[in-house]
């Protein structure tokens, strides 16, 4: 017998998110979020289920586990864990077949989404770097508009920078520095460089832009590769190493975000969706969608295709377009809002 949803029903809801296909496409790891009555907060665990369907099994049992990411060989799953309310996130690794999870790195400001290197020997991530301060009672002095952020509170002079962590020893090396924040990185196919988006202008709170940069995975001087004045966010690197997949706008304006192919060595971005009158949804806190990805095992021959999400009359659908651009096809449409997407082994 049906009845209206009641307040106490909220405690029984389990919400899946962040699906991640294994390298062979056989298994999906994902995060399950539940409300916890005792702590009056959220509990997050990592689960896995066969791609073809079947029984799901729990991989982790921490209170705040998320961001599961498969190693290139599929032998391990990296994930983030926080051990209590307000605690910084730590980087952990779990053997896929059998064994106990181990903490790999404990960065002082916490860890961001981990990204495995192509050979599985390292992980890259963006993590907060806090400047040295005085006592707790010291005043916070703000001279720019970006001194706080929704969900984070006062940011002050905290910046997010790229770190590379050895997957065996857990040794972490910081590879970007300065008065800017770097986005989640993507690896070049040879593992020698990282690409990220950042605004480095002194007046970036007034002149909004996001420029794609590349930097050596062992450090060095970052090189801007997208034109200034654009709002470009990098999400993938092509298998042949020549092209970065980015989304955004060529300049700040009222209108849709689009999808672009950007030369990895630098140059003008090429719009892959020139005639597509929809907004690309790359996913963000409070927003559905997912980061666009190359899929080299399906689509336009060896060049492959790009899989992405876009808004459609209040829904969010999954689309594919040839890597050279063109008219997108709908992969998953209808009355649904996609809030996560993964592309591996020709499967989505």
């Amino acid at each position: 017998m049906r009845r209206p949803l009641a307040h106490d029903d909220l405690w029984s809801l389990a919400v899946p998110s962040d699906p991640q296909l294994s390298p062979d496409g056989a298994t999906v790891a994902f995060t399950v979020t539940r409300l916890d009555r005792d702590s009056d907060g959220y509990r997050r665990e990592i689960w896995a289920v066969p791609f073809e369907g079947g029984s799901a099994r729990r991989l982790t049992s921490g209170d705040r586990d998320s961001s599961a990411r498969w190693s290139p060989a599929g032998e391990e799953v990296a994930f983030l864990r926080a051990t209590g309310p307000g605690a910084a996130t730590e980087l952990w690794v779990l053997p896929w077949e059998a064994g106990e999870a181990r903490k790999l790195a404990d960065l002082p400001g916490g860890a961001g989404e981990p990204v495995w290197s192509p050979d599985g020997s390292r992980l890259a991530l963006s993590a907060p770097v806090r400047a040295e301060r005085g006592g707790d009672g010291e005043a916070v002095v703000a001279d720019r508009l970006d001194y706080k952020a929704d969900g984070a509170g006062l940011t002050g002079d905290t910046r997010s920078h790229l770190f590379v962590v050895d997957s065996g020893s857990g040794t972490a090396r910081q590879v970007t520095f300065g008065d800017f924040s770097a986005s989640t990185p993507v690896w070049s196919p040879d593992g020698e460089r990282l690409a990220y988006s950042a605004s480095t202008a002194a007046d970036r709170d007034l002149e909004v832009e996001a420029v794609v940069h590349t930097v050596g995975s062992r450090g060095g001087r970052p090189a801007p590769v997208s034109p200034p004045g654009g709002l470009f966010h990098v999400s993938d690197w092509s298998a042949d190493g020549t092209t970065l997949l980015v989304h955004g706008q060529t300049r700040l304006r009222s209108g849709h975000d689009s999808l672009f192919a950007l030369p990895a060595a630098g140059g003008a971005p090429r719009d892959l969706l020139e005639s597509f009158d929809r907004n690309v949804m790359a996913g963000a806190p409070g927003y559905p969608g997912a980061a666009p990805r190359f899929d080299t095992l399906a689509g336009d021959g060896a060049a492959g295709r790009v899989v992405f999400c876009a808004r459609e009359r209040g829904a969010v659908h999954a689309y594919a377009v040839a890597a050279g651009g063109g008219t997108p096809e709908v992969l998953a449409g209808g009355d649904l809002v996609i809030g996560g997407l993964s592309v591996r082994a020709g499967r989505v």
Side-chain angles (χ1 to χ4, degrees), residues 77-312:
V77 177
F79 66 96
L80 300 180
R81 169 171 286 176
T83 55
T89 51
E90 304 164 341
L91 180 60
W92 287 63
V93 173
L94 173 73
W96 168 238
E97 293 295 341
E100 296 294 325
R102 61 186 174 94
K103 184 168 71 172
L104 185 60
D106 187 3
L107 299 168
E113 175 189 335
V115 186
W116 288 90
S117 65
D119 65 0
S121 66
R122 295 171 291 167
L123 297 105
L125 51 87
S126 179
V129 176
R130 294 187 173 95
E132 294 295 329
R133 294 191 179 96
D136 291 339
E138 191 168 303
V140 175
V141 178
D143 58 3
R144 287 206 315 232
L145 296 176
D146 56 355
Y147 67 94
K148 63 179 180 179
D150 288 347
L154 291 171
T155 56
D157 48 7
T158 298
R159 303 290 180 262
S160 293
H161 280 290
L162 300 190
F163 289 78
V164 173
V165 180
D166 185 276
S167 63
S169 67
T171 302
R173 175 200 293 266
Q174 185 174 342
V175 296
T176 63
F177 303 84
D179 185 20
F180 65 90
S181 289
S183 69
T184 299
V186 298
W187 287 89
S188 63
D190 61 6
E192 293 299 317
R193 299 192 70 77
L194 296 166
Y196 64 93
S197 298
S199 176
T200 59
D203 59 350
R204 60 181 175 272
D205 55 336
L206 301 176
E207 299 295 331
V208 180
E209 68 174 7
V211 176
V212 179
H213 297 71
T214 62
V215 66
S217 59
R218 292 172 176 79
R221 183 182 295 276
V225 295
S226 69
L231 286 159
F232 296 114
H233 305 279
V234 62
S235 60
D236 208 356
W237 204 314
S238 66
D240 63 5
T242 63
T243 306
L244 294 168
L245 184 62
V246 304
H247 55 89
Q249 302 180 6
T250 56
R251 59 183 175 82
L252 180 62
R253 58 183 173 81
S254 296
H256 297 324
D257 282 358
S258 193
L259 196 61
F260 299 87
L262 175 69
R270 177 168 47 86
D271 194 341
L272 302 180
L273 304 172
E274 287 184 321
S275 60
F276 186 62
D277 187 23
R278 295 292 184 269
N279 188 58
V280 172
M281 302 291 291
Y287 291 88
R293 300 294 184 197
F294 283 113
D295 181 8
T296 58
L297 297 183
D300 184 20
R305 63 182 182 177
V306 173
V307 178
F308 66 98
C309 294
R311 184 82 80 184
E312 173 60 40

Side-chain angles (χ1 to χ4, degrees), residues 31-89:
T31 300
V32 174
T33 302
R34 293 183 175 89
L35 286 166
D36 183 70
R37 189 188 294 267
D38 294 335
S39 66
D40 192 27
Y42 293 99
R43 180 182 178 88
R44 294 182 176 89
E45 302 166 338
I46 307 299
W47 286 64
V49 67
F51 179 85
E52 301 292 349
S55 298
R57 69 183 180 98
R58 188 173 63 183
L59 300 183
T60 72
S61 55
D63 289 338
R64 294 168 179 83
D65 297 342
S66 63
S67 300
R69 298 295 182 267
W70 295 89
S71 66
E75 298 173 348
E76 294 181 304
V77 177
F79 66 96
L80 300 180
R81 169 171 286 176
T83 55
T89 51

